[in-house]
mmCIF file of all heavy atoms in Angstrom:
data_model
loop_
_atom_site.group_PDB
_atom_site.id
_atom_site.type_symbol
_atom_site.label_atom_id
_atom_site.label_comp_id
_atom_site.label_asym_id
_atom_site.label_seq_id
_atom_site.Cartn_x
_atom_site.Cartn_y
_atom_site.Cartn_z
ATOM 1 N N THR V 91 63.716 -1.532 -19.464
ATOM 2 C CA THR V 91 64.594 -0.658 -20.253
ATOM 3 C C THR V 91 63.825 0.419 -21.011
ATOM 4 O O THR V 91 64.435 1.299 -21.616
ATOM 5 C CB THR V 91 65.400 -1.487 -21.270
ATOM 6 O OG1 THR V 91 64.495 -2.136 -22.178
ATOM 7 C CG2 THR V 91 66.243 -2.535 -20.558
ATOM 8 N N GLY V 92 62.482 0.341 -20.998
ATOM 9 C CA GLY V 92 61.681 1.305 -21.739
ATOM 10 C C GLY V 92 61.865 1.178 -23.240
ATOM 11 O O GLY V 92 61.877 2.177 -23.960
ATOM 12 N N THR V 93 61.989 -0.071 -23.723
ATOM 13 C CA THR V 93 62.257 -0.309 -25.141
ATOM 14 C C THR V 93 61.074 -0.986 -25.824
ATOM 15 O O THR V 93 60.618 -2.050 -25.398
ATOM 16 C CB THR V 93 63.507 -1.191 -25.322
ATOM 17 O OG1 THR V 93 64.626 -0.554 -24.708
ATOM 18 C CG2 THR V 93 63.801 -1.406 -26.799
ATOM 19 N N LEU V 94 60.590 -0.359 -26.886
ATOM 20 C CA LEU V 94 59.564 -0.941 -27.742
ATOM 21 C C LEU V 94 60.242 -1.679 -28.890
ATOM 22 O O LEU V 94 61.288 -1.247 -29.378
ATOM 23 C CB LEU V 94 58.656 0.150 -28.315
ATOM 24 C CG LEU V 94 57.736 0.877 -27.339
ATOM 25 C CD1 LEU V 94 57.263 2.194 -27.955
ATOM 26 C CD2 LEU V 94 56.536 0.006 -26.981
ATOM 27 N N ALA V 95 59.640 -2.787 -29.347
ATOM 28 C CA ALA V 95 60.192 -3.530 -30.480
ATOM 29 C C ALA V 95 59.069 -3.909 -31.432
ATOM 30 O O ALA V 95 58.018 -4.398 -31.005
ATOM 31 C CB ALA V 95 60.921 -4.780 -30.003
ATOM 32 N N PHE V 96 59.302 -3.663 -32.735
ATOM 33 C CA PHE V 96 58.321 -3.953 -33.772
ATOM 34 C C PHE V 96 58.984 -4.827 -34.843
ATOM 35 O O PHE V 96 59.907 -4.370 -35.526
ATOM 36 C CB PHE V 96 57.809 -2.656 -34.402
ATOM 37 C CG PHE V 96 57.336 -1.639 -33.399
ATOM 38 C CD1 PHE V 96 58.173 -0.616 -32.981
ATOM 39 C CD2 PHE V 96 56.063 -1.721 -32.858
ATOM 40 C CE1 PHE V 96 57.753 0.317 -32.051
ATOM 41 C CE2 PHE V 96 55.628 -0.795 -31.925
ATOM 42 C CZ PHE V 96 56.474 0.229 -31.513
ATOM 43 N N PRO V 97 58.533 -6.075 -35.011
ATOM 44 C CA PRO V 97 59.145 -6.959 -36.010
ATOM 45 C C PRO V 97 59.014 -6.394 -37.424
ATOM 46 O O PRO V 97 57.971 -5.849 -37.791
ATOM 47 C CB PRO V 97 58.344 -8.257 -35.862
ATOM 48 C CG PRO V 97 57.796 -8.216 -34.476
ATOM 49 C CD PRO V 97 57.499 -6.771 -34.220
ATOM 50 N N ILE V 98 60.085 -6.528 -38.209
ATOM 51 C CA ILE V 98 60.048 -6.143 -39.618
ATOM 52 C C ILE V 98 59.408 -7.291 -40.394
ATOM 53 O O ILE V 98 59.870 -8.426 -40.330
ATOM 54 C CB ILE V 98 61.458 -5.848 -40.151
ATOM 55 C CG1 ILE V 98 62.027 -4.602 -39.469
ATOM 56 C CG2 ILE V 98 61.443 -5.664 -41.667
ATOM 57 C CD1 ILE V 98 63.470 -4.302 -39.833
ATOM 58 N N THR V 99 58.342 -7.000 -41.125
ATOM 59 C CA THR V 99 57.595 -8.040 -41.833
ATOM 60 C C THR V 99 57.818 -8.036 -43.338
ATOM 61 O O THR V 99 57.340 -8.934 -44.037
ATOM 62 C CB THR V 99 56.089 -7.890 -41.557
ATOM 63 O OG1 THR V 99 55.663 -6.575 -41.960
ATOM 64 C CG2 THR V 99 55.788 -8.081 -40.076
ATOM 65 N N GLY V 100 58.524 -7.053 -43.845
ATOM 66 C CA GLY V 100 58.762 -7.001 -45.287
ATOM 67 C C GLY V 100 59.269 -5.638 -45.700
ATOM 68 O O GLY V 100 59.610 -4.793 -44.875
ATOM 69 N N GLY V 101 59.305 -5.442 -46.999
ATOM 70 C CA GLY V 101 59.776 -4.173 -47.535
ATOM 71 C C GLY V 101 60.816 -4.386 -48.614
ATOM 72 O O GLY V 101 61.154 -5.523 -48.971
ATOM 73 N N ASN V 102 61.317 -3.307 -49.142
ATOM 74 C CA ASN V 102 62.326 -3.354 -50.193
ATOM 75 C C ASN V 102 63.040 -2.016 -50.242
ATOM 76 O O ASN V 102 62.470 -0.991 -49.849
ATOM 77 C CB ASN V 102 61.684 -3.650 -51.546
ATOM 78 C CG ASN V 102 60.684 -2.581 -51.937
ATOM 79 O OD1 ASN V 102 61.026 -1.560 -52.538
ATOM 80 N ND2 ASN V 102 59.416 -2.789 -51.586
ATOM 81 N N VAL V 103 64.271 -2.032 -50.718
ATOM 82 C CA VAL V 103 65.042 -0.790 -50.790
ATOM 83 C C VAL V 103 65.941 -0.804 -52.020
ATOM 84 O O VAL V 103 66.559 -1.823 -52.334
ATOM 85 C CB VAL V 103 65.897 -0.580 -49.524
ATOM 86 C CG1 VAL V 103 66.700 0.713 -49.633
ATOM 87 C CG2 VAL V 103 65.034 -0.547 -48.274
ATOM 88 N N ASP V 104 65.982 0.321 -52.727
ATOM 89 C CA ASP V 104 66.920 0.544 -53.827
ATOM 90 C C ASP V 104 67.879 1.654 -53.431
ATOM 91 O O ASP V 104 67.465 2.667 -52.850
ATOM 92 C CB ASP V 104 66.187 0.962 -55.113
ATOM 93 C CG ASP V 104 65.358 -0.164 -55.697
ATOM 94 O OD1 ASP V 104 65.708 -1.331 -55.467
ATOM 95 O OD2 ASP V 104 64.351 0.132 -56.371
ATOM 96 N N TYR V 105 69.149 1.456 -53.749
ATOM 97 C CA TYR V 105 70.190 2.436 -53.430
ATOM 98 C C TYR V 105 70.805 2.931 -54.733
ATOM 99 O O TYR V 105 71.366 2.154 -55.509
ATOM 100 C CB TYR V 105 71.256 1.786 -52.548
ATOM 101 C CG TYR V 105 72.450 2.659 -52.243
ATOM 102 C CD1 TYR V 105 72.409 3.604 -51.228
ATOM 103 C CD2 TYR V 105 73.636 2.521 -52.967
ATOM 104 C CE1 TYR V 105 73.507 4.393 -50.941
ATOM 105 C CE2 TYR V 105 74.742 3.305 -52.688
ATOM 106 C CZ TYR V 105 74.672 4.242 -51.672
ATOM 107 O OH TYR V 105 75.768 5.021 -51.398
ATOM 108 N N TYR V 106 70.686 4.254 -54.977
ATOM 109 C CA TYR V 106 71.211 4.865 -56.194
ATOM 110 C C TYR V 106 72.507 5.620 -55.906
ATOM 111 O O TYR V 106 72.787 5.973 -54.761
ATOM 112 C CB TYR V 106 70.173 5.824 -56.793
ATOM 113 C CG TYR V 106 68.907 5.136 -57.244
ATOM 114 C CD1 TYR V 106 67.846 4.948 -56.354
ATOM 115 C CD2 TYR V 106 68.769 4.666 -58.544
ATOM 116 C CE1 TYR V 106 66.683 4.303 -56.755
ATOM 117 C CE2 TYR V 106 67.607 4.023 -58.954
ATOM 118 C CZ TYR V 106 66.569 3.842 -58.060
ATOM 119 O OH TYR V 106 65.422 3.198 -58.456
ATOM 120 N N ASP V 107 73.256 5.861 -56.945
ATOM 121 C CA ASP V 107 74.513 6.583 -56.814
ATOM 122 C C ASP V 107 74.242 8.001 -56.304
ATOM 123 O O ASP V 107 73.587 8.795 -56.984
ATOM 124 C CB ASP V 107 75.200 6.643 -58.182
ATOM 125 C CG ASP V 107 76.597 7.252 -58.111
ATOM 126 O OD1 ASP V 107 76.957 7.800 -57.046
ATOM 127 O OD2 ASP V 107 77.315 7.175 -59.128
ATOM 128 N N PRO V 108 74.732 8.345 -55.101
ATOM 129 C CA PRO V 108 74.476 9.691 -54.566
ATOM 130 C C PRO V 108 75.144 10.801 -55.366
ATOM 131 O O PRO V 108 74.811 11.977 -55.188
ATOM 132 C CB PRO V 108 75.038 9.614 -53.137
ATOM 133 C CG PRO V 108 76.005 8.493 -53.159
ATOM 134 C CD PRO V 108 75.483 7.508 -54.154
ATOM 135 N N GLU V 109 76.078 10.430 -56.258
ATOM 136 C CA GLU V 109 76.733 11.436 -57.093
ATOM 137 C C GLU V 109 75.829 11.898 -58.234
ATOM 138 O O GLU V 109 76.071 12.945 -58.840
ATOM 139 C CB GLU V 109 78.039 10.874 -57.668
ATOM 140 C CG GLU V 109 79.085 10.517 -56.614
ATOM 141 C CD GLU V 109 79.505 11.735 -55.806
ATOM 142 O OE1 GLU V 109 79.659 12.811 -56.402
ATOM 143 O OE2 GLU V 109 79.667 11.600 -54.582
ATOM 144 N N LEU V 110 74.787 11.115 -58.535
ATOM 145 C CA LEU V 110 73.850 11.502 -59.585
ATOM 146 C C LEU V 110 72.856 12.532 -59.057
ATOM 147 O O LEU V 110 72.605 12.614 -57.856
ATOM 148 C CB LEU V 110 73.077 10.276 -60.087
ATOM 149 C CG LEU V 110 73.875 9.167 -60.771
ATOM 150 C CD1 LEU V 110 72.946 8.009 -61.136
ATOM 151 C CD2 LEU V 110 74.570 9.696 -62.024
ATOM 152 N N ASP V 111 72.288 13.307 -59.971
ATOM 153 C CA ASP V 111 71.250 14.262 -59.590
ATOM 154 C C ASP V 111 69.903 13.548 -59.540
ATOM 155 O O ASP V 111 68.974 13.863 -60.290
ATOM 156 C CB ASP V 111 71.198 15.427 -60.592
ATOM 157 C CG ASP V 111 72.417 16.320 -60.482
ATOM 158 O OD1 ASP V 111 72.987 16.404 -59.378
ATOM 159 O OD2 ASP V 111 72.809 16.920 -61.498
ATOM 160 N N TYR V 112 69.806 12.587 -58.630
ATOM 161 C CA TYR V 112 68.581 11.797 -58.496
ATOM 162 C C TYR V 112 68.284 11.639 -57.017
ATOM 163 O O TYR V 112 69.066 11.044 -56.274
ATOM 164 C CB TYR V 112 68.758 10.429 -59.157
ATOM 165 C CG TYR V 112 67.478 9.619 -59.248
ATOM 166 C CD1 TYR V 112 66.510 9.929 -60.194
ATOM 167 C CD2 TYR V 112 67.253 8.545 -58.385
ATOM 168 C CE1 TYR V 112 65.341 9.194 -60.284
ATOM 169 C CE2 TYR V 112 66.087 7.802 -58.469
ATOM 170 C CZ TYR V 112 65.134 8.133 -59.421
ATOM 171 O OH TYR V 112 63.974 7.398 -59.503
#
Side-chain angles (χ1 to χ4, degrees):
T91 62
T93 302
L94 291 161
F96 309 97
I98 294 175
T99 58
N102 61 87
V103 179
D104 291 333
Y105 175 82
Y106 296 88
D107 186 350
E109 297 299 320
L110 296 177
D111 290 331
Y112 189 76

